Amino acid sequence: MEAKLQELKTRLMEVDDLEHANALLAWDQTTYMPPGGAPARGRQMATLARLAHEKFTDPAIGKLLDDLRPYEESLPYDSDDAALIRVTRREYERNTRIPSAFVAELNEHIAATYQSWTEARPANDFARLRPALEKTLDLSRKLADFFPGYEHIADPLIDFADYGMKAASVRAVFAQLREQLVPLVQAITAQPPADDSCLRRSYPEDQQLAFGEAIIKRFGYDFNRGRQDKTHHPFMTKFSLGDVRITTRFKEDDLGYALFSTLHEAGHAMYEQGINMAYEASPLAGGTSAGVHESQSRTWENIVGRSRGFWQHFYPELQKTFPDQLGDVPLETFYRAINKVERSLIRTEADEVTYNLHVMIRFDLELQLLEGSLEIRDLPQVWHDRYQADLGITAPDDRDGVLQDVHWYGGLIGGAFQGYTLGNIISGLFYEAALKVHPEIPGEIAQGRFDTLHGWLKTNIYQYGSKFTANELIERVTGGPLRIEPYMAYLRGKYGELYAL
Ligand code: ZN
């Protein structure tokens, strides 16, 4: 058994090497690669993805998993070896259903579509992307059909990102949340908007960068095992547990733009940096689901990074960094500015209260596209119609409409968005659980200290990587299933105070 387990680990390490070499190519593609590198890069990434897929779906791995079943069954459920075999089997069964040629075609198509999007979005040219997006929809449907027996065609795609969730279960949770969010948004937006002009002064990029990096260092993001670079659409990526990188972008006339994105991506990265090093180069060495991942980015960005206590401590430092811009701005004005609630067009810049409405629009549109009740050619207009209906505003163009998010142009249609709102809900659950054990956390945050919160998250969430599923983690930490109440209580508490509701 020992020899078989070792052989499995060695094979998985080779797969992991290929996947992370590919991740490095993807990171380079979106940070430093000159445009001329695009055609070859698409091919190179497709080749590596194909090799990784071939190695992972090698029948020898299936044989090892079969041989190791008695050993797995002799172990407790929460043993690392049992988890490795269990999670590998789940991934193996999923991957062996997808032909290697399909994986190569999909990856090459996505790389080319992403490159077109980087040019088409600034040019506001949806028409140019339409054929590519039609092919993406076609390939997304084909991918789902490798998993027959689903209730909804989106189910297999949702399951890739948020294992254990389905279109129906996500819809049910979203409907509950929507019912409570819409009146909250109405009550807040009925009041005069917060004045956020203090954020729109001129903030030199270098100082923004230095301030953001100083904050995430204090959070516990480890720069010896990470770095930050510039890109179009910020993301976190990992090449090993010793190299977990983040990216950001700047607007000199918008102080919150880079800062909160940096806190967000650092939250993702701290999750990965917190994984047990013994899981390195195995399927356990990654966050367990899109939703749990997003719960961590949103915890550090919002629950911590937009809290009153946090800025009681850090605002004087920010004022020292930008004395001309913020010297005359009281803390309360700044706090209200960074928590301004408004019906806006861009998801990534949306406030905590309206954010989930943006996500629900995209989730619904993905389901409609996959069902065939919505055609790609009608997507830009339907996007505008939904924004008008749900948020009461319409974008002036497609650049800030259907072209704004990278997801459909750099990935599949389906499974891409539900994780954001699941993440918000889960952030509320986990934070409430942390406070139950450590009621001193908010007081520590107000002193610029994060070790108790970070430590609790490492112990209860981060270290496990993918050992437990999202639902298992939630059950272990909260003693019950996913529920929206702690998140809604957090929103009501914070915004009730801000807007005297
Ligand atoms: Zn995120």
Side-chain angles (χ1 to χ4, degrees):
M1 283 303 165
E2 194 55 41
K4 286 185 195 294
L5 186 64
Q6 198 45 55
E7 190 191 341
L8 180 69
K9 286 181 177 172
T10 304
R11 284 174 177 269
L12 292 174
M13 195 175 292
E14 286 179 0
V15 174
D16 193 87
D17 288 346
L18 289 167
E19 285 174 346
H20 286 125
N22 214 358
L24 181 55
L25 291 184
W27 170 85
D28 176 70
Q29 182 186 41
T30 58
T31 50
Y32 296 107
M33 187 188 77
R41 185 56 51 91
R43 190 193 66 238
Q44 291 157 348
M45 290 171 63
T47 299
L48 284 183
R50 179 174 55 77
L51 289 174
H53 186 256
E54 281 172 9
K55 269 197 174 292
F56 186 60
T57 55
D58 188 322
I61 288 197
K63 175 80 168 55
L64 285 168
L65 289 169
D66 286 343
D67 292 349
L68 285 163
R69 197 183 284 272
Y71 174 61
E72 178 194 0
E73 285 168 356
S74 75
L75 297 169
Y77 186 83
D78 63 356
S79 107
D80 285 348
D81 282 352
L84 176 71
I85 298 165
R86 180 172 67 241
V87 172
T88 303
R89 182 178 295 111
R90 191 169 77 213
E91 294 291 315
Y92 179 79
E93 286 172 358
R94 176 182 285 163
N95 278 274
T96 45
R97 291 187 182 216
I98 311 170
S100 291
F102 178 86
V103 175
E105 184 189 6
L106 181 66
N107 283 299
E108 196 160 355
H109 171 69
I110 285 173
T113 306
Y114 172 80
Q115 196 58 37
S116 306
W117 173 76
T118 61
E119 293 152 20
R121 187 182 177 218
N124 188 37
D125 190 358
F126 180 80
R128 182 167 143 195
L129 284 166
R130 191 180 131 190
L133 206 55
E134 279 168 351
K135 186 169 177 193
T136 302
L137 179 59
D138 184 46
L139 292 172
S140 301
R141 284 208 188 103
K142 276 195 183 130
L143 183 57
D145 283 333
F146 291 127
F147 302 86
Y150 49 70
E151 283 167 36
H152 190 284
I153 186 167
D155 286 354
L157 308 178
I158 292 171
D159 198 71
F160 292 159
D162 289 288
Y163 179 75
M165 299 302 287
K166 290 179 164 161
S169 51
V170 175
R171 265 179 174 152
V173 175
F174 282 13
Q176 280 176 24
L177 190 65
R178 191 187 180 88
E179 206 179 285
Q180 301 193 30
L181 272 180
V182 169
L184 185 61
V185 172
Q186 280 164 350
I188 294 172
T189 53
Q191 298 190 24
D195 175 9
D196 64 351
S197 58
C198 64
L199 304 176
R200 316 266 172 236
R201 295 169 179 176
S202 179
Y203 294 94
E205 186 176 310
D206 289 354
Q207 285 154 276
Q208 288 194 46
L209 174 73
F211 185 82
E213 292 195 345
I215 297 287
I216 61 176
K217 233 176 245 174
R218 294 281 286 274
F219 278 175
Y221 175 72
D222 181 357
F223 274 90
N224 289 320
R225 296 191 291 140
R227 54 178 285 135
Q228 181 172 242
D229 295 270
K230 279 166 64 174
T231 188
H232 294 287
H233 194 102
F235 62 92
M236 181 278 306
T237 186
K238 181 186 66 182
F239 311 131
S240 70
L241 292 175
D243 189 351
V244 184
R245 302 190 191 182
I246 58 176
T247 58
T248 192
R249 75 284 190 251
F250 294 90
K251 275 188 190 169
E252 296 226 322
D253 62 351
D254 185 347
L255 180 60
Y257 189 72
L259 176 61
F260 291 107
S261 147
T262 293
L263 306 191
H264 179 101
E265 299 307 331
H268 282 301
M270 284 156 66
Y271 182 10
E272 296 283 334
Q273 288 185 335
I275 293 171
N276 185 346
M277 290 298 272
Y279 299 168
E280 178 74 292
S282 86
L284 299 183
T288 194
S289 75
V292 173
H293 236 300
E294 196 66 10
S295 77
Q296 292 317 297
S297 56
R298 300 292 278 177
T299 295
W300 291 101
E301 175 194 358
N302 291 332
I303 297 179
V304 176
R306 289 185 208 264
S307 68
R308 192 185 284 280
F310 177 88
W311 287 107
Q312 278 165 355
H313 182 83
F314 284 102
Y315 190 59
E317 286 186 26
L318 187 67
Q319 283 180 307
K320 243 181 258 164
T321 308
F322 299 110
D324 297 340
Q325 299 90 332
L326 292 172
D328 62 342
V329 179
L331 169 63
E332 189 63 25
T333 305
F334 176 79
Y335 176 62
R336 286 176 175 271
I338 60 167
N339 287 296
K340 179 181 184 179
V341 175
E342 61 184 334
R343 301 171 192 270
S344 65
L345 291 170
I346 308 293
R347 175 187 62 87
T348 54
E349 294 163 43
D351 58 84
E352 288 178 274
V353 186
T354 59
Y355 183 89
N356 297 297
L357 299 178
H358 292 259
V359 174
M360 289 179 201
I361 290 174
R362 290 153 176 76
F363 178 71
D364 289 346
L365 295 180
E366 282 192 328
L367 295 195
Q368 289 171 28
L369 287 167
L370 288 163
E371 286 163 7
S373 59
L374 171 62
E375 306 263 350
I376 295 287
R377 68 160 180 270
D378 298 323
L379 185 58
Q381 188 54 46
V382 172
W383 181 285
H384 291 314
D385 295 345
R386 273 298 299 266
Y387 263 78
Q388 191 57 49
D390 289 22
L391 286 149
I393 46 172
T394 303
D397 53 27
D398 293 331
R399 187 171 41 192
D400 287 342
V402 71
L403 291 173
Q404 71 176 262
D405 288 312
V406 65
H407 305 63
W408 294 335
Y409 311 98
L412 299 169
I413 293 175
F417 285 104
Q418 76 286 330
Y420 291 108
T421 285
L422 292 174
N424 283 324
I425 297 169
I426 296 168
S427 73
L429 275 172
F430 287 167
Y431 190 66
E432 184 192 62
L435 291 193
K436 252 183 212 157
V437 190
H438 296 291
E440 71 276 20
I441 285 173
E444 290 185 359
I445 291 173
Q447 293 164 8
R449 288 172 45 213
F450 308 100
D451 37 324
T452 304
L453 176 60
H454 191 198
W456 186 90
L457 290 166
K458 279 193 278 194
T459 303
N460 292 281
I461 316 289
Y462 299 175
Q463 64 157 324
Y464 295 122
S466 293
K467 177 170 172 171
F468 300 115
T469 68
N471 290 333
E472 286 166 355
L473 271 183
I474 292 168
E475 182 74 38
R476 286 172 65 93
V477 167
T478 71
L482 180 75
R483 52 195 186 91
I484 65 166
E485 286 75 15
Y487 176 61
M488 280 311 304
Y490 157 73
L491 286 182
R492 285 213 185 83
K494 176 173 175 181
Y495 291 92
E497 186 259 338
L498 260 170
Y499 288 89
L501 300 174

